[in-house]
Amino acid sequence: MLTLLVFFVVIVAAVYYNIVEPLFLDPKSKIPGPKLFAFTKWRLALEDFRGSRTRAIHALHERYGPIIRIGPNEIHCNSLNALRTIYGAGSGFERTWFYRMFDAYGKQNLFTFESGKDHGERKKLVANAYSKSLMLTGPAARMVQEKVTQYLALLKAQGEQPQEIFSSLHYFSLDAITHFLYGPSHGGTSALKGNAQHRALLNDIVDPTRRYLSWFAVHQPALTKWMYTREGLLEQLLRPILPMQKPTTYTGIRKHALEAFHRFKDAAETKSDILASESSIISRLWTSHESVKGSGPRSLDSLDIASECADHLLAGIDTTADTLMFLIWALSQPQNSHIQKQLVEEVRSLSDDAFEDGVPKLDAIDKLPYLDAVIKETLRLYAPLPASEPRSLPTDCVIDGYRIPARTIVNMSPYSLHRNADVFESPLTFDPERWLGPTDKVNLMNRWFWAFSSGGRMCIGLQ
Ligand code: HEM
């Protein structure tokens, strides 16, 4: 009889905590969305596994409106009001644990800090190097022009044949970003010039199993860690079923980044003039490391610097190369030939002194409105980071009129924001002209444009 009673209590408690409470009593139960998503996180995880998470969430927004529940403790929004509340400067919302998979060498960095305070301290050390004026006219601008020249030479050397631009654009972004971060002598790569070892660094990016490892790291973090830390016989037995044969994503790139850091460190410790002559990100971080050596919240140790640089490298390669690839692909479509023509005419209209060695200077092309519109339209329709950017708040709050309990995971995505038909007419059409239209329309679209995120955690590489 007692066993039966215990069994009954367990069943009632299980039904209450797993069904009644989350689906009917939790304040989030008032938020629209399919009950299966609200009941179990595995429903959304299934979309993730299929590679259709972002599109599935967008379809739910189209069906249920601008705020939806996508998991027992997770919601997704698609309104300007929510954008301000969650991602506005000083909102108090923090990045979630999801970002910790981007820690490098066991150290946090700009991308992975949760709290605004840790993040703000670190940002102060590097933000200036990314300022628009330095990017357009400083040493970085000359370096980018040099990489453009090398890219054009690579295309020319391949002749009239159709070109595979996914790889070559990745060579371009890899070379430009490694030179920017580490300088030419310590980690700057030469993939554009044909260095096979540097080109091979991109193998990590095209490895199709990378997606499965990310899935396991997000949905089964403890199991994933356990599987990759086994040794001996158990390691041999597990190897065939590992989601990805390498233990972390971007293994080669992270190794290169660490070696670059060590090369720089050795040089900085032996040659005192190196810091004065370098404008790289690593030398800036090293200078601050030297000036606040010791303990205290602002001091950086060697691995902090290595992690910070590796993070910027990973954040910059795919995003830059993928945007350029989509831009070229969009312009190559027969229906967009008039756009390509107009763009060429705009660049040709530049005066002779806007060019250096046959390549337009960055500060000159920054002033071209049609080019700006083409880039913006590419980032709108083919945002290289289209997916949700999860955040959470330590206290309760109200979003779009719904009470959201503390530590609920809240998300928004460029993919959904950029496809709102009330803001972007014919949202699925590639139409740069929309950015040249009447000012009030453009102002509204600008407020919905979110390819680089917004607020304190927006992309530092925006320029
Ligand atoms: C078209 C190019 C790029 C796009 C669309 C882009 C987009 C983004 C977005 C959406 C975020 C926020 C992600 C989130 O909160 O989940 C971000 C953050 C970041 N990006 Fe970019 N990015 C681009 C290029 C770059 C480049 C070239 C670099 C550096 C070389 C870079 C460095 C960073 C860093 C360090 C962060 C973290 C910023 C912080 O938390 O303060 N990005 N980027």
Side-chain angles (χ1 to χ4, degrees), residues 95 99 110-111 119 130 177 311-312 315-316 319-320 323 379 384-385 389 391 451-453 456-461:
R95 285 217 168 118
Y99 290 86
L110 263 193
F111 204 62
H119 172 263
Y130 283 91
I177 294 166
D311 170 49
H312 296 214
T319 44
T320 307
T323 305
L379 288 165
L385 296 183
E389 296 173 18
R391 302 285 189 266
F452 296 97
S453 194
R457 306 302 294 256
M458 84 184 291
C459 178
I460 201 171

Side-chain angles (χ1 to χ4, degrees), residues 172-182 312-313 316-317 320:
F172 168 78
S173 66
L174 178 71
D175 283 0
I177 294 166
T178 50
H179 279 255
F180 178 65
L181 291 172
Y182 302 106
H312 296 214
L313 180 55
I317 300 176
T320 307

Side-chain angles (χ1 to χ4, degrees), residues 332-348:
S332 74
Q333 302 298 299
Q335 73 274 20
N336 294 335
S337 59
H338 63 290
I339 301 173
Q340 189 181 135
K341 196 163 161 261
Q342 192 160 338
L343 190 58
V344 170
E345 274 165 21
E346 186 181 60
V347 176
R348 287 203 174 132

Side-chain angles (χ1 to χ4, degrees), residues 158-173:
Q158 289 174 6
E160 294 293 304
Q161 297 304 316
Q163 314 244 344
E164 192 273 283
I165 57 166
F166 178 84
S167 303
S168 61
L169 288 171
H170 274 78
Y171 300 157
F172 168 78
S173 66

